Amino acid sequence: MRHLGRFGIVLLVLFSAALARPEDSSLPLVIANNNRTPAGQFKNGVLELQLDLRRGRWYPEDEGGGYRDVYAFAEVGHAPQSSGPLIRVPQGTEIHATVHNTLSRMTQIYGLHRHPGDAKDALRLAPGETRELQFLAGEPGTYFYWATTSNKTLELREDAETMLSGAFVVDTPGTKPDDFIFVLGLWTKDPAAGLQGTIASINGKSWPYTEQLTYKIGEATHWHVINPTESDHAMHLHGFYFTVDGEGDGEHYESYSQEQRRRAVTQHIDPGHVFEMTWTPERAGNWLFHCHMLVHMSPAEALAPREGQPAAYPPAPLHDHRMGMGGMVIGITVLPGPTATPSPAAATTTRKLQLVISDNPGKIPLYKLELNDPMRPVPSDKKESPSLLGPPIVLTRGEATEIEVKNQSSNPTAIHWHGIEVESYYDGVPGWTGSGQQTTPPVAPGTSFVAHMTPPRAGTFIYHTHWHDSAQLLNGLYGPLIVLEPIQKYDPEHDRTFVFSGGAYAPFGYLLLVNGHPQPEPVELHTLTRYRLRLINITDNGADLRVRLMNKGVPVQWKVIAKDGADLPPAQLRSSTADMGITVGETYDVEYQADTPGISDLEIRQPSFPTPVTLPLKFVETK
Ligand SMILES: [Cu+2]
C-alpha cells in the first residue's frame, strides 16, 4: 500500500476531473443491494436463477454525486446491483442458473458452484454468450462469487470490473435467517497505484449513504462480512465486543465452536475472505462499524467533486453527521430499552485527568499531548518533548473517571476511547455519537470536552483522534489506554507497551514507528521475568501489519493472553510462534519470558511498506 504525496493527490484529483465522462443516459442505474432479498425463484425445490452481466452507472453516494460506469451483475428483468444479486439457499438446495454476458468482453466468473469448491473453477462467457449451470449448494457457510473481464485475479482487478461481486450464503436447513450481510466494496482504478484513487463502500454505498441499522438494547444480531476487494480491511465496532463465529476464504467456510469463538472489537479480513460475527447492543445511542484504515473511512478523493464542494475531504458543516467520514462506514442506532437503564449509583470519588492537546511550536509533529494526572504528577522539568505518541493513560477497572480533553491547538478535534465500553455520548465521533437529542460536539480550539467512563474490564486499549483529517493521526494524536485491576499498580518491571503507528517523522516524512520512533532505542529487560507486552496498532492504513519477536533470526514462542482489551478464555490460551498479524485498531497482550541473556528483536513490517522497524529488547541477567 504505497502512499501518494500531496502532489500525487492533487494530480489525481485533476486527472479525475479531466476524465469527467460524457453523459450516457442509456446506462441503467446500478442500485445498492442491502442483501436481504435472495435472488431467483424456487420451483419444485430448485432455485431458478437468471443472471446478467451488464454495464451500469454506479453512484456510491447519492444520485447527484460522483459516479463510476461499472460492470455489474443483475437478475434478468431487474436493475443491476452492487453488490450482485444475493444467492441464499438452505444446504442441499439444487441451483439451476443461467448466466448471460451482455458485455463486449470475455468474462470469467468464479464461485458459482458447490461449496466448498475449487477457487480456480471459472465459468467463461464470451460476449453475448449464455451458459447454463446446475449444482448443489454444498456446505453451510458464507461465500461469494465474482468476475473479471480482464482475466485478472481478485487482487488485481481494476476499474469497471472491481465491483463485480455478490454474496452467496448457504444456510443450515431449518434455520430462519435473521441477520445482515455486508459486502465490502473497493472500486479501484488501478490496484498498483496504492491506496488513493479508490472508492470504499458497503453493500454498494459509501457513508453517509450506507444503510443505517436500528436495534433495541439486548437484541443480539448476526452479521456476515464479505471482502471481495483487493485490499485487507480492519473492521471495527464501536462500543461493544463481538464474537467471531467463523471465517472462510470464499470457497471453504469454517464455523467455530463456542470454545473457538474469539472476542474482538476489530477483526482483520484478507482479500477474498469472509467472517461471521455476533454482538448484542447493550447501551443506547449511535455507534459505528467501519474499516479502521483511514483511507477507507474518509471521503473518496477519487469521486468527482460535487457542485460547490472541493473534491477532497469536504468540510462538512458542524451539524452534519458526515463530519468528514466517508467510505466503509455503517451507522448503528441503539434505542433505549422499555425501562430506562438505571444510572449507576453515584460514585463517591471520581478520578479526574486532563489530556491537553496543543500545537507544537516546532511544527513537526503538528501536535503535542500532555497528561495532567494528579495521581502521577510529572515534574515540570521532565515533561517530554513532542513525539509521535501521546502519554499513556492508566485507568482502574470499575473506577469512575473523567478525562477532560482540553484543546489548546488551532484545530477542532475529537478523541475516541477505542475498545472501552463507554456511553455513546463519550465515544468521541463528533456529530454522530450520542443520540438524536444530543450528539457529541467537536472539541473546538480553546474548548474542552469531558469524557466520563467507568471501565468495566482491565486490558489494553487506545485513545486516538476521530477527526478524519489524516494530519491528526499522522501527527501523534493517539496513545495507549491501559486499564488495570483495582489491586494492580502499573509495574514497568513486568509490563511494557509498544505502540505501532505511522507518522510525519521530521525530517524524513512518513515512516512506520514503534513508540514514536522509526529506529527506537534498545529497551533493557530482565531474564527469568515474565513480561506482559502490550501491542497496539494505530497506524493510519497498516491493516496488513505484522509483528514478530526474533531471537537469532528465529521467532520465539510467546503466549497471547488478551485481544482488544479482553482476556482470552482459558481454552484459547496456548503458546504460539511470535509472528502474527496485528491490524489497525487491534491490540494484543502477550506474555514472554527470556531464560538467557541476549537481544531479541521486536519487529514490525508491512508487506507493502519497504522498511520494517526493529526495537531491540536487551535481556540482562536478573541479579
Ligand atoms: Cu479498509
Side-chain angles (χ1 to χ4, degrees):
M1 294 173 199
R2 273 160 274 165
H3 297 255
L4 290 180
R6 193 166 293 260
F7 181 64
I9 292 165
V10 169
L11 267 187
L12 203 89
V13 170
L14 291 175
F15 188 59
S16 323
L19 272 186
R21 285 140 222 246
E23 289 304 309
D24 179 355
S25 53
S26 65
L27 275 184
L29 187 68
V30 177
I31 60 166
N33 182 359
N34 68 9
N35 284 303
R36 288 233 253 298
T37 312
Q41 271 143 16
F42 276 95
K43 282 186 189 147
N44 305 320
V46 176
L47 180 76
E48 297 280 348
L49 192 61
Q50 290 180 295
L51 297 178
D52 258 357
L53 278 151
R54 269 187 249 167
R55 233 176 125 230
R57 179 155 295 176
W58 174 57
Y59 291 90
E61 299 186 332
D62 65 12
E63 283 171 37
Y67 62 84
R68 286 293 180 273
D69 291 341
V70 297
Y71 303 139
F73 285 102
E75 266 197 275
V76 169
H78 295 84
Q81 289 182 308
S82 181
S83 55
L86 166 65
I87 304 177
R88 182 159 204 177
V89 292
Q91 180 181 22
T93 303
E94 186 177 328
I95 297 170
H96 177 214
T98 60
V99 190
H100 175 58
N101 183 10
T102 76
L103 307 178
S104 57
R105 307 179 67 119
M106 172 66 90
T107 304
Q108 275 101 344
I109 306 174
Y110 293 87
L112 283 184
H113 51 221
R114 180 177 183 165
H115 290 95
D118 178 358
K120 293 193 196 75
D121 172 34
L123 179 72
R124 286 180 177 77
L125 283 177
E129 191 179 357
T130 304
R131 295 275 294 270
E132 270 193 66
L133 295 165
Q134 197 127 11
F135 58 95
L136 286 170
E139 295 295 316
T142 302
Y143 312 99
F144 67 93
Y145 61 96
W146 63 281
T148 170
T149 56
S150 58
N151 199 14
K152 295 254 169 65
T153 61
L154 187 78
E155 282 95 334
L156 291 174
R157 289 190 295 175
E158 52 184 43
D159 207 337
E161 63 182 340
T162 45
M163 302 306 289
L164 273 174
S165 317
F168 190 154
V169 173
V170 181
D171 292 306
T172 305
T175 54
K176 192 166 162 283
D178 178 19
D179 53 15
F180 293 86
I181 298 166
F182 298 119
V183 179
L184 308 179
L186 200 61
W187 179 90
T188 309
K189 178 77 187 167
D190 170 9
L195 291 169
Q196 309 295 345
T198 61
I199 302 170
S201 60
I202 297 183
N203 283 350
K205 285 288 178 190
S206 297
W207 173 268
Y209 300 93
T210 45
E211 191 180 5
Q212 293 185 1
L213 306 176
T214 301
Y215 291 104
K216 294 192 196 97
I217 285 182
E219 186 184 8
T221 183
H222 185 75
W223 292 2
H224 305 248
V225 181
I226 300 175
N227 179 17
T229 77
E230 47 105 355
S231 171
D232 303 56
H233 302 286
M235 302 312 295
H236 172 56
L237 180 66
H238 280 226
F240 311 99
Y241 283 87
F242 54 88
T243 58
V244 178
D245 304 330
E247 287 178 273
D249 63 5
E251 292 295 344
H252 306 80
Y253 181 79
E254 187 188 1
S255 183
Y256 295 146
S257 67
Q258 274 307 335
E259 274 199 344
Q260 291 173 304
R261 292 185 183 186
R262 293 191 308 270
R263 229 169 200 209
V265 296
T266 308
Q267 170 70 12
H268 172 255
I269 185 167
D270 270 317
H273 281 62
V274 308
F275 68 90
E276 292 185 31
M277 58 184 269
T278 300
W279 65 281
T280 304
E282 290 152 351
R283 275 157 284 123
N286 293 333
W287 306 96
L288 293 176
F289 179 64
H290 66 87
C291 176
H292 214 283
M293 293 169 71
L294 200 59
V295 72
H296 295 161
M297 60 181 298
S298 302
E301 289 167 355
L303 274 180
R306 300 155 136 268
E307 205 168 329
Q309 278 189 332
Y313 301 113
L318 295 190
H319 63 269
D320 183 338
H321 67 219
R322 296 168 59 113
M323 277 302 170
M325 289 191 297
M328 226 172 250
V329 181
I330 281 179
I332 301 153
T333 297
V334 178
L335 301 173
T339 51
T341 322
S343 50
T348 46
T349 54
T350 299
R351 191 168 155 218
K352 292 190 167 132
L353 306 176
Q354 194 182 48
L355 182 68
V356 183
I357 301 170
S358 33
D359 290 328
N360 173 19
K363 301 286 188 230
I364 303 177
L366 291 171
Y367 298 96
K368 63 173 181 179
L369 298 184
E370 275 171 60
L371 185 72
N372 294 323
D373 180 351
M375 273 173 60
R376 292 159 212 275
V378 183
S380 57
D381 59 330
K382 288 259 176 69
K383 286 199 176 168
E384 279 191 26
S385 57
S387 83
L388 283 152
L389 176 65
I393 297 180
V394 181
L395 305 181
T396 303
R397 180 174 64 78
E399 183 177 42
T401 305
E402 291 177 14
I403 305 177
E404 180 191 355
V405 177
K406 190 172 180 188
N407 185 7
Q408 293 182 338
S409 83
S410 46
N411 292 300
T413 188
I415 298 291
H416 170 55
W417 314 97
H418 182 114
I420 299 267
E421 295 144 286
V422 292
E423 295 300 327
S424 174
Y425 183 67
Y426 304 116
D427 190 52
V429 184
W432 174 252
T433 48
S435 67
Q437 288 77 45
Q438 192 193 31
T439 53
T440 312
V443 193
T447 69
S448 282
F449 179 82
V450 181
H452 296 242
M453 63 190 79
T454 304
R457 75 182 76 229
T460 304
F461 306 93
I462 319 169
Y463 67 91
H464 66 79
T465 173
H466 219 284
W467 193 258
H468 301 288
D469 144 7
S470 57
Q472 295 199 349
L473 197 66
L474 295 179
N475 283 273
L477 251 67
Y478 52 79
L481 180 53
I482 293 165
V483 182
L484 299 176
E485 290 293 346
I487 46 161
Q488 249 183 322
K489 272 212 162 99
Y490 186 74
D491 171 16
E493 268 311 300
H494 296 90
D495 196 330
R496 296 294 176 113
T497 304
F498 301 98
V499 179
F500 313 142
S501 64
Y505 192 84
F508 306 107
Y510 183 91
L511 287 175
L512 271 182
L513 311 166
V514 174
N515 287 350
H517 296 278
Q519 285 179 322
E521 294 287 317
V523 169
E524 194 173 289
L525 301 173
H526 290 103
T527 56
L528 304 174
T529 305
R530 192 165 63 184
Y531 283 93
R532 182 182 195 111
L533 310 179
R534 301 173 188 265
L535 312 176
I536 294 172
N537 178 354
I538 187 64
T539 56
D540 48 345
N541 293 309
D544 53 356
L545 193 85
R546 293 192 69 83
V547 57
R548 54 185 186 174
L549 183 60
M550 308 283 284
N551 186 257
K552 299 192 178 90
V554 181
V556 302
Q557 294 286 305
W558 63 19
K559 188 155 108 184
V560 180
I561 56 170
K563 169 176 156 53
D564 294 344
D567 291 342
L568 295 192
Q572 291 177 11
L573 291 174
R574 60 182 65 88
S575 172
S576 59
T577 303
D579 181 353
M580 65 183 198
I582 175 168
T583 199
V584 194
E586 219 172 14
T587 76
Y588 278 104
D589 292 24
V590 301
E591 270 180 6
Y592 179 64
Q593 174 173 319
D595 294 333
T596 52
I599 290 181
S600 293
D601 286 326
L602 184 73
E603 179 200 87
I604 57 164
R605 66 206 144 92
Q606 208 178 316
S608 46
F609 197 80
T611 19
V613 183
T614 302
L615 186 154
L617 303 182
K618 191 177 165 195
F619 287 93
V620 298
E621 272 189 55
T622 309
K623 298 246 159 59

